[in-house]
Each structure stands twice: as C-alpha cells, then as structure tokens.
Amino acid sequence: MAPSVLQNGGFILGLIGAAALIAATAMNNWSVKDRQGDVVTSVYTYKGLWQDCETVSSGFTECRPLYGMLGFSAIFQAVRALMVVGVVLAILGAVVSVFSLKCLTMNSMADSSKARMSLTAGIMFIVAGFCAITGASIYANQIVASFRLSNYNPSYGGGYNGGMAEGMGGGMGGGMGGGMGGLPRYTFGPALFVSWIGGGVLLVGGILKSLAFRAMVQDDKSHYPGIAYKAQSHSKPDQDDHHSEGGKRAQQYV
C-alpha cells in the first residue's frame, strides 16, 4: 500500500479518535442510574469524571462539580489522569501527523524527517488509545463490582457491605455503583462506549502511521541505490608506449 494512503488513513482515524476522547472525557454520563425493576421515577441521575448531574421529568438539569483531589479514591483519580493523558497525546499526535504528510511540502523537508514524524505520531496515537481503553475499563470494572455487591445483598444499609458500596460509590464520583441503603444502582453510561471506540480508532490510526513510516523508509532507500565505483585501470601497452616515448626523447637530447 502506498505510504500516502497509510498516512492519510492514519491521520483521519487519529482525528476521529482524538475527538472521541475529548468528548468522552467531557461527558457527564460515565455511569447512569439503573432503572431496571424501578417504578416510574421523576429523577434521572448520572455521573461523570468532573461532575454529578440530576435531571427531573420537567427537563431541568442540575449538576454538582466534583471539586478537590483528596476526596476521591486513587482509582478514580487514575481514571481521570489516564483520560487527560490520552487527550493530550492524541492532540499532539494529530498536530505532528499534519506536518508528516507527504502531500504537504514545507521548507523542503526531507522524506526521512517526515517518516520519523509519522512514526512519532503513530506511537502517540497508540499510547493515547491504550490510555482511553484502560481508563474506561477500570471505571467499568468498578461499576460491575459495586453492581454485583448490590445484587448480592441489597437489604443491608450499613456494616461491611454498606461500607464497601459507600467506598466505591463515594470514591468513583460520589455514589457510582452504590446500591445499598436505598442508594440507586448505576450501570454503564454512553461515555464508556465512546471512550472504548475512540481508543480503538486511535490504535488503528497509530498502526497505520507506523506502517507508513516503514513504507516511506523503503521508498527513500529505493531512490538512492548503491553505486559501485571502480578504480581506473591503466593498460600495460599504454605504459610501454609512455616509456618508449620517454626513451626516444632522451636519445634525441643525447
């Protein structure tokens, strides 16, 4: 496949993945209230990385920002950090990918330099994709764990099970997954799927950019094939003629 096709494909996928990561990080519905088995309720609760929100039947939405750093668990902070790092790397990879395109000529940049920039952008896309998938998976794992605890014994409001649910819920965004003591249970929100899809798209885009680097290096080598130089050899008859002419001139002078 031509390097330009790989580059353009990786660049487009990188842009789509970066946009998905930005959207997922900013979305407030990482976990949503589980309505299974509930009667009609007038309050819809959902939680994100930066704020918790409630929407009433009238359409009014109220959000509470999640201020502070010490009031949440280390897992929740790790998910935040992974998503932020993924967004930053995806944006930087997209910027570097623009300058590495073969169709863009700028100050007569050599193809070898563009190839290295393409590889750098590909690595950034791959790392950003891993960050997004890992962050969303950690958050989803906490939802599953707290959901199973709530199903195991939903009658307890305190004690050991209640303390575990409170620890998971309070640490992962203030009630995420808690189902004990009358607290609502939560399930996967749309932001998780956006993050997973965006991370996968970034992985594919990074692989295409890395393959483009390999193709560009091979093309660069084919443009400059090795040339074998041979030393000019002097034939013996020429040497004999040269010596004979020198001897004749010496005899004339004598």
Side-chain angles (χ1 to χ4, degrees), residues 43-183:
V43 180
Y44 176 63
T45 307
Y46 49 97
K47 302 177 183 297
L49 298 179
W50 314 106
Q51 56 186 359
D52 298 342
C53 299
E54 288 185 353
T55 301
V56 296
S57 57
S58 61
F60 177 75
T61 301
E62 182 179 1
C63 295
R64 179 177 63 88
L66 302 178
Y67 294 118
M69 297 289 291
L70 302 178
F72 307 103
S73 66
I75 297 177
F76 183 66
Q77 299 290 2
V79 173
R80 278 179 166 181
L82 285 171
M83 294 306 299
V84 171
V85 170
V87 169
V88 172
L89 288 178
I91 294 175
L92 290 177
V95 173
V96 175
S97 182
V98 171
F99 295 105
S100 66
L101 295 176
K102 294 192 69 175
C103 59
L104 180 64
T105 57
M106 183 178 60
N107 293 332
S108 301
M109 184 181 295
D111 289 342
S112 59
S113 300
K114 288 190 174 183
R116 288 191 294 268
M117 293 178 68
S118 179
L119 178 62
T120 302
I123 294 174
M124 288 182 177
F125 286 157
I126 292 174
V127 176
F130 273 119
C131 289
I133 294 175
T134 304
S137 300
I138 293 174
Y139 196 98
N141 182 62
Q142 296 299 307
I143 296 178
V144 172
S146 58
F147 191 90
R148 287 178 177 176
L149 279 176
S150 64
N151 286 337
Y152 175 71
N153 197 344
S155 61
Y156 283 107
Y160 176 73
N161 290 334
M164 289 190 68
E166 183 181 358
M168 290 183 182
M172 292 295 291
M176 186 282 298
M180 307 202 183
L183 294 175

Side-chain angles (χ1 to χ4, degrees), residues 184-203:
R185 296 182 303 181
Y186 288 82
T187 184
F188 294 171
L192 287 176
F193 300 100
V194 174
S195 181
W196 278 324
I197 294 173
V201 171
L202 279 172
L203 287 178

Side-chain angles (χ1 to χ4, degrees), residues 215-238:
M216 291 172 68
V217 171
Q218 291 178 352
D219 283 354
D220 193 24
K221 289 181 179 180
S222 64
H223 290 160
Y224 300 96
I227 300 176
Y229 292 95
K230 294 183 179 180
Q232 186 177 1
S233 60
H234 299 282
S235 59
K236 189 173 181 181
D238 293 340

